[in-house]
Amino acid sequence: EVPVGVKRIMHNVFNPKVWGETSKIKSVILPDTVVEVGHRAFANCPKLKTFTAPAGITYGTNAFEGCKNLADDTGLIIIDNTVLEYLGDDEVVSIPEGVHALSDNLFSVIYSANPGNKKITTVNLPTSLKKIGKCYLSYFNKKFNLIKYNTILCNCQEKNASFLYII
């Protein structure tokens, strides 16, 4: 449990690879005073199974990278109606209804340690989606589509595609 009064969980603070240790963290409870969780703050904590936090926290990129026990059956880590990580290896990923946002670099193959991102060809988006983070789709070798209501939002056929255009 993080003590009351803490406002920020800094980058890599619980990432065992940074400290040359093995993570033993199984549960995290953040107090209402926390407003930000830094980049890779809890990355590489495979035993982390429960995460309790107040709504409205800002999460850094890959905050939960490698935390497979936090992911749902589809490989998504969803906290506060935001998909923060994808740890699966499917060609087609469907974001569930009720999700409002996708985090930065969610399906990137260069900013994420998830090798499954290389297999993705299609991401189906829900009607509830309101925000898509910076989406670096670099180095996809095949056609990559983000689909919402059967309308293509992004059709990135070239390597180094860096921007998401809503059509």
Side-chain angles (χ1 to χ4, degrees):
E1 194 166 322
V2 175
V4 173
V6 172
K7 292 184 179 184
R8 289 179 175 76
I9 307 298
M10 301 306 289
H11 307 315
N12 288 308
V13 73
F14 294 107
N15 184 346
K17 285 190 175 180
V18 171
W19 310 109
E21 300 173 3
T22 302
S23 175
K24 296 176 183 163
I25 298 172
K26 294 179 183 178
S27 177
V28 172
I29 299 172
L30 298 182
D32 290 341
T33 55
V34 174
V35 296
E36 179 183 356
V37 172
H39 303 295
R40 291 187 167 85
F42 294 97
N44 304 304
C45 294
K47 294 179 182 178
L48 182 58
K49 196 170 190 171
T50 60
F51 184 84
T52 306
I57 290 179
T58 300
Y59 292 91
T61 306
N62 304 106
F64 299 97
E65 182 176 79
C67 296
K68 290 212 177 255
N69 280 320
L70 270 184
D72 64 16
D73 292 341
T74 65
L76 296 169
I77 295 178
I78 303 171
I79 297 175
D80 197 16
N81 297 318
T82 299
V83 179
L84 297 173
E85 299 287 342
Y86 174 66
L87 303 175
D89 62 355
D90 297 314
E91 286 185 16
V92 177
V93 179
S94 293
I95 307 299
E97 200 57 53
V99 166
H100 297 159
L102 303 180
S103 67
D104 291 350
N105 302 321
L106 184 60
F107 300 112
S108 172
V109 295
I110 55 175
Y111 294 108
S112 171
N114 180 23
N117 286 354
K118 292 178 183 176
K119 295 181 181 181
I120 299 171
T121 59
T122 302
V123 178
N124 295 309
L125 303 176
T127 58
S128 59
L129 192 68
K130 297 174 184 167
K131 179 185 174 194
I132 297 175
K134 289 180 234 163
C135 193
Y136 297 104
L137 303 174
S138 302
Y139 299 107
F140 278 95
N141 292 321
K142 44 184 147 175
K143 188 174 178 181
F144 182 89
N145 294 312
L146 286 176
I147 299 175
K148 183 175 183 180
Y149 326 115
N150 296 321
T151 301
I152 295 175
L153 289 176
C154 179
N155 187 358
C156 304
Q157 296 181 15
E158 299 177 25
K159 290 183 181 181
N160 301 322
S162 298
F163 300 98
L164 177 66
Y165 292 98
I166 298 177
I167 300 171

